[in-house]
Amino acid sequence: MTPASERRRRSGPRAEPRIREYWSWIAVALFLLVTVDLLTSLYAAAAVGVGAESNPLMRWLLGQSVPVVVGVNVLAVVLVAVAFAGVMRMLRVTPAPYDRYFAFGIELWLGLLLAAGLFVFANNLSVVVLGDSLL
């Protein structure tokens, strides 16, 4: 293969294991940022009141009925999944060597999402246990 044709090559099949792993990580991040956050936020609101919620959107949402809260969270998951599928399609067609840099950016973003999810969980636990936010 000539260098020019190598540069035009697409990520193709060799990117598939990485893409499957990215889907696993986005699932974990969504579990932390949606499911765990929702459950701990509901518990914190019951323990100390809705006013302790530092996120204004979530504070408003906690004042709504439970089906509305769950529906908004499900909608958020669907939107993130659709957007992430688009990013994965972009990664599949990104030519080498740029696919490595794009993949690194995705990994960095996923790491930040996981860190944010863990922080949100810790913050909600702080509200429940200590009665005060970490923020």
Side-chain angles (χ1 to χ4, degrees):
M1 199 177 275
T2 66
S5 63
E6 175 68 22
R7 278 189 297 244
R8 287 191 299 267
R9 162 178 82 74
R10 304 285 184 182
S11 295
R14 73 181 182 95
E16 290 308 311
R18 181 181 285 175
I19 289 171
R20 282 192 300 276
E21 183 178 349
Y22 292 163
W23 275 108
S24 298
W25 284 109
I26 195 70
V28 170
L30 285 172
F31 177 75
L32 283 171
L33 286 168
V34 177
T35 307
V36 171
D37 178 44
L38 178 59
L39 292 174
T40 56
S41 291
L42 288 170
Y43 186 73
V48 297
V50 175
E53 176 63 51
S54 58
N55 178 348
L57 178 61
M58 192 63 180
R59 188 179 321 124
W60 173 82
L61 200 55
L62 288 171
Q64 307 306 308
S65 67
V66 173
V68 170
V69 174
V70 171
V72 168
N73 279 275
V74 168
L75 179 63
V77 168
V78 169
L79 291 174
V80 169
V82 168
F84 195 71
V87 170
M88 293 300 99
R89 273 193 298 278
M90 288 172 54
L91 178 61
R92 280 187 183 98
V93 299
T94 301
Y98 307 110
D99 59 340
R100 287 184 299 157
Y101 307 121
F102 190 27
F104 177 74
I106 292 168
E107 291 166 11
L108 183 64
W109 179 71
L110 286 170
L112 291 172
L113 275 179
L114 288 170
L118 290 171
F119 178 77
V120 165
F121 176 60
N123 188 56
N124 287 347
L125 284 181
S126 172
V127 170
V128 170
V129 174
L130 304 173
D132 199 17
S133 172
L134 297 173
L135 300 174

